[in-house]
Amino acid sequence: MSETSGPLRGRRAVVLGGTGSVGEHFVRAYLTAGADVVVPSRTAARAAELREDPAVAGLGDGLRLVVGDYVSFAGARATAEAITAEHGQVDHVVATLGSWWSGAPLWGVDDDTWQRYFVDVAAAYAAAARAWVPLLRPEGSLQLVLGASGVVPVPGASVISMAQSSLVMMRRVLAEEVGSSRRVFSIVLGNLNLRRRGWARPDFVDADDATRLSIGLASGSRPSAEFVLRRPDQAREALAAIGEDRSATGLGQAPAGDLR
């Protein structure tokens, strides 16, 4: 375990999609909070990019990288079992999967787009839930980072909206199924200010506020819940609702983003 101090010292987290522009915010947040962080990557090159990122490299030695499939049902299960066997039982899993697409009305969505942005994305989140829920510590959490297109219709992005809305409901059903044995959260995000984009807008939610919420949920005892952060004021309200101290993670403001 990492010797770093913080609210998650002595805990272990897995960030799925941690090499991406959204996921790396969660990787940095969990490292800063003192957790050991395991990030699966489908390619060694993406894993190396994350390890060598100066914003990550300076956060101690708590990062563990695993190369393998984590989005298919069989791959997710095998990777989860391998991580648990090598690194020990996991406390928290954060899933930041998929990407944005728009460009056609529903009747204009081709078969490949339907498969990639609806079927594959929904299946990847379901695979994560199936693989990890049985392996988590009882006090741990599964956190699904989703897009606000799942709760607000976006013309021209029907395939994304349908995928995200199915995942919002998947989280709700899963929370009912696990009861008090596990905690299952969704953090539903609109436009984001992301570090890698290099620009920011005041009407976008700072990705680091989403990660502060995630850390607060992981380190607390709040039961399963859904949080929608489409605007900065909603982010502030969510943080206030869990009593999160903005200085607790030590993270500063982040630049730049887009709708996920």
Side-chain angles (χ1 to χ4, degrees), residues 24-25 27-29 31-32 49-60 195-196 251:
E24 67 94 10
H25 281 263
V27 172
R28 291 188 294 112
L31 287 171
T32 304
E49 287 176 6
L50 180 67
R51 181 183 296 280
E52 295 165 7
D53 187 332
V56 175
L59 296 177
R195 179 181 69 92
R196 291 181 180 175
L251 291 173

Side-chain angles (χ1 to χ4, degrees), residues 64-146:
R64 309 285 183 265
L65 294 165
V66 175
V67 177
D69 173 24
Y70 59 91
V71 296
S72 71
F73 285 102
R77 183 183 300 276
T79 296
E81 291 174 350
I83 289 173
T84 302
E86 181 174 355
H87 300 287
Q89 193 169 20
V90 170
D91 299 278
H92 307 288
V93 173
V94 180
T96 66
L97 305 172
S99 58
W100 177 251
W101 177 90
S102 65
L106 178 60
W107 58 87
V109 176
D110 61 49
D111 293 355
D112 289 342
T113 299
W114 180 265
Q115 180 70 37
R116 178 178 178 183
Y117 292 99
F118 186 178
V119 179
D120 290 352
V121 170
Y125 275 97
R130 284 178 52 174
W132 281 107
V133 167
L135 299 180
L136 290 174
R137 292 187 189 277
E139 69 275 17
S141 70
L142 171 65
Q143 301 185 21
L144 308 181
V145 181
L146 306 176

